[in-house]
Amino acid sequence: MVEFTKDLKIGIEHIDKQHKTLIDYTNNLISLGSKASNQEEIEKSLVFMGTYVIKHFADEEAFQVKIGYPQYERHRKLHMEFIEVYKTFVDNYKKNGHSPKFITIFKNTVVAWVAKHVMMEDQNIGKYYRSKAN
């Protein structure tokens, strides 16, 4: 499980709120995958999370454009790459179903990417925003 700590906050309230929601859904999927859960329930959560990620990325990118974030294009490319990784993960899950490897693969691909991206890349958006506010 991933805990939404101050290290994951970037200091932009609406983005922090969305990041917390993403962490909550990631934890829910970890929990579902750890049990002998209904595959339909897992698939619904995967679809919802994928949809939420796309909405979040769009909101975050719109904010970057609004503040004139100089790394916008690079950041957007990282988002697009993650969407492809997530689609591949979901496709593999649909083909192979629930297996003991599900949680390991989910943690190594989705959870690790989200945590690393927020802690490194998204922190830069917060820093840039605060530097422009001063």
Side-chain angles (χ1 to χ4, degrees):
M1 299 286 206
V2 179
E3 188 177 341
F4 187 75
T5 63
K6 66 178 181 162
D7 296 337
L8 292 175
K9 291 184 179 182
I10 67 169
I12 301 164
E13 189 175 342
H14 72 282
I15 294 175
D16 285 337
K17 184 177 178 183
Q18 289 181 350
H19 286 160
K20 183 178 182 327
T21 299
L22 280 172
I23 298 298
D24 290 345
Y25 278 99
T26 348
N27 287 336
N28 180 56
L29 274 164
I30 291 170
S31 176
L32 286 172
S34 297
K35 304 172 191 169
S37 293
N38 181 332
Q39 186 165 342
E40 183 180 325
E41 194 176 349
I42 293 171
E43 284 183 26
K44 281 173 41 178
S45 292
L46 286 170
V47 169
F48 179 84
M49 186 172 169
T51 302
Y52 192 85
V53 163
I54 290 169
K55 180 199 179 317
H56 165 65
F57 286 171
D59 290 351
E60 191 177 276
E61 290 166 12
F63 182 77
Q64 290 174 47
V65 169
K66 179 181 171 183
I67 65 170
Y69 185 59
Q71 296 296 317
Y72 165 76
E73 287 297 332
R74 187 180 74 73
H75 200 100
R76 184 174 189 280
K77 184 178 177 192
L78 294 171
H79 285 170
M80 300 306 286
E81 289 170 0
F82 175 75
I83 289 169
E84 291 306 312
V85 166
Y86 191 79
K87 284 180 183 176
T88 300
F89 173 77
V90 172
D91 288 346
N92 286 338
Y93 177 79
K94 286 180 179 178
K95 281 184 210 169
N96 301 318
H98 187 265
S99 72
K101 291 183 179 181
F102 171 76
I103 293 299
T104 302
I105 294 168
F106 185 71
K107 286 181 179 177
N108 290 341
T109 57
V110 177
V111 177
W113 189 93
V114 169
K116 180 180 174 186
H117 183 80
V118 171
M119 288 174 53
M120 296 176 73
E121 298 296 332
D122 290 350
Q123 289 296 330
N124 291 331
I125 299 168
K127 288 175 189 171
Y128 179 79
Y129 177 69
R130 286 187 296 280
S131 76
K132 298 299 275 181
N134 294 327

